[in-house]
Amino acid sequence: MTIDPTKTDLKKNYTSQDVAAIAGVSQSTVSRVFAGNTNVSEKKRKKILAAAAKLDYKPNAHARSLITRKTMMIGIVMRNIRNPFYSAVLEIFHNRLSARGYHLIFINSENEEIQESEITQLLEYNVEGVIITDALLSSSASQKFKRYGITVVLFNRYTEHLESSAVFCDNYLAAKQIAAYLVEMGHKSFAFVSGPSDTSTTIDRLKGFKEVLDDRKIKDLTIEPGNYTFESGYRAAQELMTRNKNIDCIFCGNDIIALGVMDAIRTIGLRIPEDVSVVGFDNIRMSEWPSYALTTWEQPLEEMVDSAVELMIKEINEKDAPMQVVMMKGHLVVRNSVRSRK
């Protein structure tokens, strides 16, 4: 029977078999396309999507999961969602996974380490994979995910004894290049406002920055703890500039810290960059606002997300796929928050 979707007397709840009939393909090929399977030619995929559009066909996710035993759900755990960097990360992950037919379950973790209740919530949704961003994954949590066959990918961080694939920026090399740039610009008295001291991000950025200063025989470095928030940056700058008025540049663990540092410095009555240079990390959208014009390090965010998604889907579909570590480089974005002191 020829299906004519323009006829109002025909059924409205079309099935994948109806789509297959119009597209001239098998029902299994239609299912593969809507499951995000890439082993379908682009020509067939376009015909299937065109047929589905004509029928206004929407796949039944629940029915599909019963047949394929796949829920097409991915969990993503974030702690510091107020940080614009992670808001951007969430948006890109949503777009990339949606395009592959996956649904994103967002968990806003309230603690540095992912909690049992959050793990339980992900298990209740029968997620096929979990992306961990700025929360810490304990060994026990990692083992629990593994026991239930759930793929885990760490994003923008890694752990010392890796039990999961990870995608992150080379923070060590980035911090070395930032330090070299500041030294070349003639700075003499340095400060670093960090994030939490137990994260790979903070450890590598401090290590790289300090290593360059040590190589140049520069000992004038003050380290002030922060928490990757605007408030912690604001407080840190007040502390630093009160204790040591000779500080002429501050490297901040991320951009949102840097914005807090800059506002605090101006409140004190100092000028940026005339009195103090400031460098951030991440290149969030606010960093290019004229009131900040922050020199910062840009991470290859879209490429990092693409890599994490590819790793996730590969490990979901191939349970024996080897764990992988992907480290990417970024580049320095020079604006107006640093001046030469030569």
Side-chain angles (χ1 to χ4, degrees), residues 231-248:
E231 294 80 8
S232 69
Y234 194 94
R235 288 192 300 269
Q238 289 181 316
E239 289 286 334
L240 285 168
M241 304 314 298
T242 299
R243 292 200 312 262
N244 185 355
K245 298 186 185 302
N246 293 322
I247 291 174
D248 58 23

Side-chain angles (χ1 to χ4, degrees), residues 109-126:
S109 181
E110 296 181 358
N111 301 276
E112 286 193 14
E113 189 172 286
I114 186 170
Q115 300 296 295
E116 187 67 28
S117 60
E118 294 160 353
I119 297 172
T120 300
Q121 189 175 353
L122 290 167
L123 294 177
E124 287 174 349
Y125 277 106
N126 292 320

Side-chain angles (χ1 to χ4, degrees), residues 8 18 71-72 110 123 125 149 167 172 174 176 184-185 194 206 220 245-246 260 272 296 317 329-331 340:
T8 57
D18 298 324
T71 62
M72 302 299 288
E110 296 181 358
L123 294 177
Y125 277 106
V167 178
Y172 168 74
K176 288 189 70 172
E184 288 165 8
M185 294 292 280
S194 75
L206 176 57
D220 193 355
K245 298 186 185 302
N246 293 322
I272 301 169
T296 183
N317 293 327
K329 296 180 180 179
H331 66 275
S340 174

Side-chain angles (χ1 to χ4, degrees), residues 51-223:
K54 281 184 180 180
L55 299 178
D56 195 25
Y57 167 74
K58 300 291 188 301
N60 186 314
H62 178 65
R64 184 177 61 199
S65 69
L66 292 175
I67 296 170
T68 64
R69 298 188 181 277
K70 290 190 173 185
T71 62
M72 302 299 288
M73 290 188 178
I74 303 293
I76 185 165
V77 181
M78 287 186 176
R79 186 172 60 86
N80 193 5
I81 191 61
R82 291 190 301 166
N83 183 344
F85 174 79
Y86 283 107
S87 299
V89 166
L90 181 59
E91 180 181 0
I92 299 171
F93 266 117
H94 174 267
N95 293 340
R96 296 296 194 273
L97 288 167
S98 294
R100 303 289 287 269
Y102 285 88
H103 306 282
L104 198 61
I105 305 299
F106 171 65
I107 300 292
N108 185 15
S109 181
E110 296 181 358
N111 301 276
E112 286 193 14
E113 189 172 286
I114 186 170
Q115 300 296 295
E116 187 67 28
S117 60
E118 294 160 353
I119 297 172
T120 300
Q121 189 175 353
L122 290 167
L123 294 177
E124 287 174 349
Y125 277 106
N126 292 320
V127 297
E128 296 184 53
V130 177
I131 299 157
I132 309 290
T133 59
D134 60 337
L136 297 177
L137 180 67
S138 67
S139 180
S140 61
S142 178
Q143 289 302 315
K144 191 162 189 176
F145 285 132
K146 187 176 293 186
R147 189 162 65 248
Y148 282 91
I150 296 172
T151 298
V152 174
V153 173
L154 304 181
F155 183 82
N156 198 36
R157 63 190 50 241
Y158 63 91
T159 56
E160 186 176 351
H161 303 291
L162 275 169
E163 297 179 356
S164 306
S165 291
V167 178
F168 53 92
C169 176
D170 190 342
N171 293 292
Y172 168 74
L173 179 62
K176 288 189 70 172
Q177 293 189 22
I178 290 169
Y181 169 69
L182 290 171
V183 171
E184 288 165 8
M185 294 292 280
H187 294 85
K188 305 295 184 186
S189 181
F190 298 79
F192 175 63
V193 181
S194 75
S197 60
D198 56 353
T199 66
S200 63
T201 306
T202 296
I203 292 168
D204 288 350
R205 290 176 190 175
L206 176 57
K207 181 182 178 183
F209 193 75
K210 191 172 185 300
E211 190 172 292
V212 168
L213 298 186
D214 288 344
D215 289 345
R216 306 292 179 92
K217 310 300 182 187
I218 298 173
K219 302 299 182 184
D220 193 355
L221 170 64
T222 304
I223 300 170

